[in-house]
């Protein structure tokens, strides 16, 4: 059957509308590629019989959804003119905007759901990881579970303060029945054995003898003034008088607070006066009155000497004429025997009772401090601190002139709520700075390189502190000395060097 010739009428399917009231299912036979719709076979709706299936269609890729029809330029159109744009070659199928005269897939009525970003999934996964990590840490650190830590290197520094009592190797020399003392050596001076230190006057000596001697010397002084007034042309004597006045003025200024050494100034003044006295004797050797006054003075001195006794140094050391009563009770031979409570009593100024009987009328003449190691009894304020016996610390002694020395811990005692640390100082050159100090405030500082372990790694075995090392060959306990423990980290020193080292694993308890 031949299709009608001539122009075709457009079918209702051509514009996407279904035929009006179809009697039976219809389908459209698509034209075969290469046939002209005007000159060849056309297409028309075909009536389907009941139960009949549509004939096989000859598929044309150009009719597939998503295929873009190549544009054919109108006759006479040039590139760049309206209505024509050259099409770029298609590399793959794409979904262009469908024109009305092209087949479109019918709508299903179901909404298109767009996928959202999976942020919630990532958050959930991260939360699960964090929970598992926390559970693992809690299981490792919870008591009763086997957990391990590691040895680290650390540097520990600290400062400890407290009250202290100074102990020196000193001896006091006393005399019974002393009425007067003349000091020969200078206060705080270093003396050698045999050097004269002081002269004492026994109880048989009468103060009247001193009064007589003082009267003779006063007469000499007044006669010297008269001779000086008459010697207005003696330039040498006037120069010596001016020197004495200047030295006296300098001593007065030191007493009023000017910087300088008063003891040194006293020596200069005495030297100037002695120089003037020698010159006066040489200038007036034939003055009978002056000669008689000098003879009376010497006679009285010889009389007084019968009641005097000279003291010489029995050893080398520093000499002092000030005592406090602790020299016999507290010295380098017995300072380690005192308890914290007794040291606290001494710090308050009470001399301990040694049981020795003190003779009546005993007067201390001088004390000799030997330049040997000395000690400090420190009542530490930080009572939780555990000192290390044999370790050296920096000791600051607070006084008029702060003194810093190296001190070594000899021993320590905890008793009655006090921590007593016994320190020994080998620096004998600092003795002069603590010559007059008995009780004082001190500061003890340290800076040492140690090993650091978790506090839970400290394990007591047979009354000794140590750590349990975890090695490939098993677990072994080794003793340590705990320097400091704040509850989190403990600074330790191994009893056997080389056994414990940085990076070693230790068991936690």
């Amino acid at each position: 059957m031949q299709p009608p010739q001539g122009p075709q009428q457009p079918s209702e399917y051509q514009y996407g509308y279904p035929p009006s009231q179809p009697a039976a299912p219809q389908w459209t036979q698509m034209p075969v590629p290469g046939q002209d719709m005007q000159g060849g076979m056309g297409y028309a709706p075909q009536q389907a019989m009941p139960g009949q299936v549509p004939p096989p269609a000859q598929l044309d890729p150009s009719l597939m959804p998503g295929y873009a029809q190549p544009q054919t330029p109108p006759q006479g159109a040039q590139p760049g003119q309206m209505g024509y744009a050259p099409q770029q070659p298609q590399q793959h199928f794409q979904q262009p905007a469908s024109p009305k005269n092209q087949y479109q897939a019918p709508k299903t009525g179901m909404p298109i759901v767009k996928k959202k970003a999976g942020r919630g999934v990532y958050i959930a996964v991260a939360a699960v990881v964090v929970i598992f990590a926390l559970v693992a840490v809690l299981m490792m650190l919870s008591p009763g579970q086997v957990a391990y830590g590691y040895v680290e290197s650390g540097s520990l520094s600290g400062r400890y303060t407290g009250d202290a009592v100074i102990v020196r190797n000193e001896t006091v020399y006393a005399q019974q029945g002393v009425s007067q003392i003349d000091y020969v050596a200078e206060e705080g001076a270093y003396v050698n054995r045999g050097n004269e230190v002081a002269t004492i006057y026994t109880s048989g000596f009468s103060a009247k003898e001193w009064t007589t001697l003082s009267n003779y010397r006063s007469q000499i002084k007044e006669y010297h003034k008269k001779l000086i007034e008459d010697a207005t042309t003696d330039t040498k004597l006037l120069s010596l008088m001016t020197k004495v006045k200047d030295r006296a003025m300098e001593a007065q200024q030191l007493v009023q607070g000017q910087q300088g050494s008063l003891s040194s100034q006293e020596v200069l003044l005495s030297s100037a006066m002695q120089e003037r006295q020698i010159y006066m004797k040489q200038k007036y050797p034939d003055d009978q009155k002056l000669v008689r006054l000098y003879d009376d003075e010497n006679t009285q001195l010889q009389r007084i000497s019968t009641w005097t006794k000279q003291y010489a140094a029995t050893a080398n050391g520093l000499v002092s004429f000030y005592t406090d009563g602790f020299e016999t009770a507290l010295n380098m031979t017995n300072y380690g025997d005192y308890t914290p409570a007794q040291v606290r009593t001494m710090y308050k100024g009470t001399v301990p009772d040694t049981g020795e009987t003190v003779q009546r009328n005993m007067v201390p003449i001088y004390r000799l401090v030997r330049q040997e190691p000395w000690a400090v009894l420190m009542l530490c304020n930080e009572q939780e601190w555990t000192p290390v016996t044999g370790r050296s610390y920096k000791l600051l002694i607070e006084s008029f002139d702060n003194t810093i020395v190296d001190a070594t811990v000899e021993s320590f005692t905890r008793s009655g709520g006090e921590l007593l640390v016994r320190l020994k100082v080998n620096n004998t050159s600092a003795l002069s700075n603590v010559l007059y100090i008995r009780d004082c405030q001190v500061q003890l500082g340290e800076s040492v390189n140690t090993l650091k372990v978790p506090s839970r790694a400290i394990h007591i075995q047979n009354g000794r502190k140590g750590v349990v090392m975890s090695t490939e060959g098993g677990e072994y306990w080794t003793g340590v000395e705990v320097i400091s423990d704040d509850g989190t980290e403990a600074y330790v020193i191994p009893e056997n060097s080389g056994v414990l080292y940085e990076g070693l694993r230790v068991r936690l308890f």
Side-chain angles (χ1 to χ4, degrees):
M1 181 176 179
Q2 297 292 331
Q5 302 292 327
Q8 285 184 327
Q9 298 297 326
S11 170
E12 294 182 359
Y13 270 108
Q14 185 176 355
Y15 297 103
Y17 296 96
S20 301
Q21 300 177 355
Q26 296 181 359
W27 58 86
T28 302
Q29 178 67 45
M30 297 300 176
V32 178
Q35 291 186 354
D36 194 346
M37 292 188 61
Q38 295 183 3
M41 291 292 293
Y43 66 94
Q46 297 182 7
Q47 191 72 26
M49 297 301 291
Q52 183 181 358
V53 296
Q58 297 181 1
L59 299 178
D60 187 355
S62 63
L63 300 179
M64 295 294 292
Y67 180 81
Q69 293 285 351
Q71 298 181 0
T72 303
Q75 293 183 358
Q78 298 295 329
Q81 293 182 355
M82 183 176 297
Y84 170 72
Q87 185 177 6
Q88 298 296 328
Q90 297 293 328
Q91 300 297 330
H92 57 274
F93 290 104
Q94 60 184 0
Q95 185 68 33
S98 302
K100 288 184 178 183
N101 59 353
Q102 189 173 349
Y103 172 79
Q104 297 181 356
K107 298 182 177 180
T108 63
M110 297 297 292
I112 300 175
V113 180
K114 296 182 178 179
K115 287 187 176 182
K116 296 183 178 180
R119 183 182 304 172
V121 177
Y122 295 138
I123 294 176
V125 173
V128 172
V129 173
V130 172
I131 291 174
F132 273 102
L134 290 176
V135 171
V137 172
L138 291 176
M139 291 181 63
M140 182 181 67
L141 298 180
S142 61
Q145 300 291 333
V146 177
Y148 297 93
Y150 292 90
V151 179
E152 301 178 3
S153 63
S155 178
L156 181 65
S157 60
R159 188 181 66 174
Y160 312 97
T161 61
D163 305 326
V165 176
I166 305 298
V167 184
R168 296 172 289 263
N169 186 3
E170 53 192 352
T171 304
V172 174
Y173 297 89
Q175 176 70 41
Q176 189 177 18
V178 176
S179 60
Q180 186 174 332
I181 303 175
D182 282 347
Y183 302 110
V184 178
E186 295 182 8
E187 171 65 29
Y190 180 83
V191 295
N192 294 315
R193 181 180 179 181
N195 290 352
E196 187 178 358
V197 175
T199 300
I200 64 168
Y201 298 84
T202 61
S203 57
F205 177 73
S206 173
K208 181 180 178 181
E209 304 296 335
W210 277 113
T211 303
T212 303
L213 179 62
S214 178
N215 290 334
Y216 289 147
R217 288 178 174 176
S218 295
Q219 293 178 24
I220 294 173
K221 180 179 179 181
E222 294 297 327
Y223 192 68
H224 278 173
K225 290 181 179 180
K226 183 179 181 304
L227 294 177
I228 292 173
E229 290 177 358
D230 295 340
T232 56
T233 59
D234 191 341
T235 57
K236 175 66 175 179
L237 182 59
L238 294 177
S239 176
L240 293 174
M241 288 296 300
T242 302
K243 186 176 181 180
V244 172
K245 292 180 181 180
D246 292 341
R247 298 303 185 199
M249 185 65 68
E250 292 172 358
Q252 183 180 3
Q253 292 175 353
L254 291 177
V255 172
Q256 294 175 353
Q258 185 175 343
Q259 295 292 333
S261 175
L262 184 59
S263 59
S264 299
Q265 189 64 35
E266 182 182 2
V267 173
L268 295 176
L269 178 59
S270 299
S271 177
M273 295 175 66
Q274 186 177 7
E275 186 178 357
R276 183 191 63 179
Q277 185 178 1
I278 293 174
Y279 182 77
M280 293 290 292
K281 287 183 177 181
Q282 293 175 352
K283 181 176 176 63
Y284 304 101
D286 299 330
D287 192 309
Q288 298 298 323
K289 184 177 181 179
L290 185 59
V291 172
R292 182 178 54 83
L293 290 175
Y294 284 150
D295 291 341
D296 293 341
E297 180 188 22
N298 292 331
T299 301
Q300 187 63 22
L301 286 173
Q302 291 176 2
R303 180 180 177 85
I304 292 175
S305 63
T306 58
W307 288 283
T308 61
K309 178 181 179 181
Q310 284 75 29
Y311 269 87
T314 58
N316 300 339
L318 301 176
V319 64
S320 176
F321 303 105
Y322 297 95
T323 61
D324 58 5
F326 283 89
E327 293 83 6
T328 302
L330 182 64
N331 49 58
M332 292 299 294
T333 60
N334 62 7
Y335 76 97
D337 300 333
Y338 287 104
T339 64
Q342 291 173 321
V343 174
R344 176 62 68 182
T345 302
M346 287 188 286
Y347 176 78
K348 295 179 180 179
T350 303
V351 179
D353 185 10
T354 59
E356 296 182 2
T357 303
V358 179
Q359 297 181 5
R360 295 182 58 185
N361 301 326
M362 289 295 294
V363 178
I365 307 303
Y366 72 98
R367 64 184 171 109
L368 185 66
V369 181
R370 294 171 178 83
Q371 285 193 311
E372 297 177 0
W374 45 287
V376 177
L377 299 177
M378 176 184 177
L379 296 168
C380 187
N381 295 330
E382 292 77 15
Q383 299 181 17
E384 70 281 359
W385 174 50
T386 302
V388 180
T389 304
R391 175 160 296 173
S392 180
Y393 298 86
K394 289 293 183 180
L395 178 65
L396 170 63
I397 300 175
E398 298 179 359
S399 59
F400 182 76
D401 291 326
N402 290 342
T403 302
I404 300 177
V405 293
D406 292 327
T408 304
V409 176
E410 284 199 326
S411 62
F412 64 93
T413 303
R414 297 182 192 272
S415 175
E418 296 271 16
L419 171 60
L420 173 62
V421 183
R422 302 175 184 89
L423 303 166
K424 190 172 184 180
V425 182
N426 294 319
N427 186 356
T428 58
S429 62
L431 268 173
S432 57
N433 296 334
V434 297
L435 188 61
Y436 309 104
I437 299 175
R438 183 63 69 181
D439 57 273
C440 59
Q441 299 288 320
V442 296
Q443 296 182 19
L444 201 63
E446 65 171 342
S447 178
V448 294
N449 295 324
T450 63
L451 294 176
K452 182 173 60 175
V453 298
S455 296
R456 288 178 54 195
I458 303 300
H459 182 63
I460 299 178
Q461 181 173 307
N462 297 328
R464 298 169 57 200
K465 293 182 179 180
V467 296
V468 176
M469 304 178 295
S470 178
T471 64
E472 295 180 356
E475 295 186 344
Y476 304 94
W477 183 90
T478 183
V480 298
E481 189 171 9
V482 179
I483 306 302
S484 174
D485 190 349
D486 58 5
T488 302
E489 294 178 335
Y491 292 84
V492 301
I493 295 179
E495 293 180 358
N496 300 319
S497 60
V499 175
L500 207 63
Y501 51 87
E502 183 180 0
L504 182 66
R505 191 170 71 163
V506 292
R507 185 174 179 177
L508 304 183
F509 296 90

